[in-house]
Amino acid sequence: MQIAIHNWMRAETLESTLKRISSLGYTHLEIQGAPEMYDNQQVKELLEKYGIQCWGSVTLMLEERNLLAKDPDQRKRSIEYVLNLAQMVKDLGGKVISLVPATVGKIVPDARPEEEWEWAVEGVKEIYAFTEANGLTIGIEPINRFETYFINRGDQALALAEAVGPNCGVCLDTFHMNIEEVDLFATMKRIGSRLVNFHVADNNRMAPGMGKLDWPRIMNTLAEIGYDKVLSVEFCPPIDRTPANPYPNSIDEAPEGLSDEQLKFLQDHGSTAVTEEFYTMLTQKSINQLKPFLK
């Protein structure tokens, strides 16, 4: 088992991220799903410089991106976005695409359930054809009901994966499971060998170990189902704007290089731009909690 981290949670240069995680003992990066931001050759050189491997990428299904949109042209553009992301992952030597099919933040459907299901299966199958031909794996990721109405639970993600193809998998996230699953351990066991990626944050979306989740039992369950790939850290700290804030230096009041789209994405997740000091603390706490379980 190895450990990765996402880099969408703080606006900073990729080199700053790689320098930090390399010094803390991380081995992999799940790169932000924004292929238009990166020169793949430059990213490869930075990964080699810091001894970090690309694990994969997670789709940022924002604005008009939606595999189950009523508008066929919108669905086509959304598929093209994921294919561009998959090409980036391939070029960087990564393995996994964590795929959220519907727009994050959209909680009202535009069509009948059977129509949306057909469009989702059709769209993911088109992406699957590319990933199968290029040695990549899709992991359908359920996220909580406050971020999407479509795929919230592991069983739903598994149904979609099975409808797409035998090598289409599921990506589970402990934060979302804590909200949506009756028994997250039972869900992990039902997903079993279809589990291709595992995102980790605590129940409060802080770093693992800063909430109430039972990390020894989570790790034992992963071992039981034979998952030995990568743990991908994806905290997104809730921001306290009151005098009760236990981390008074957490909010970055003047972030550099943060686009309006990135800021909206963070704010939609109950967070905002955070200081380097606070972010480094969360990154350190994550690996401190998980490292004893890595073998």
Side-chain angles (χ1 to χ4, degrees), residues 103-116:
T103 306
V104 176
K106 178 176 172 56
I107 56 173
V108 179
D110 293 331
R112 299 191 308 275
E114 58 272 21
E115 290 178 309
E116 291 187 318

Side-chain angles (χ1 to χ4, degrees), residues 226-253:
Y227 182 84
D228 60 357
K229 300 179 182 70
V230 174
L231 301 176
S232 195
V233 171
E234 195 185 19
F235 54 72
C236 188
I239 296 301
D240 189 337
R241 297 183 179 275
T242 76
N245 186 358
Y247 306 104
N249 297 317
S250 58
I251 300 174
D252 189 344
E253 301 289 357

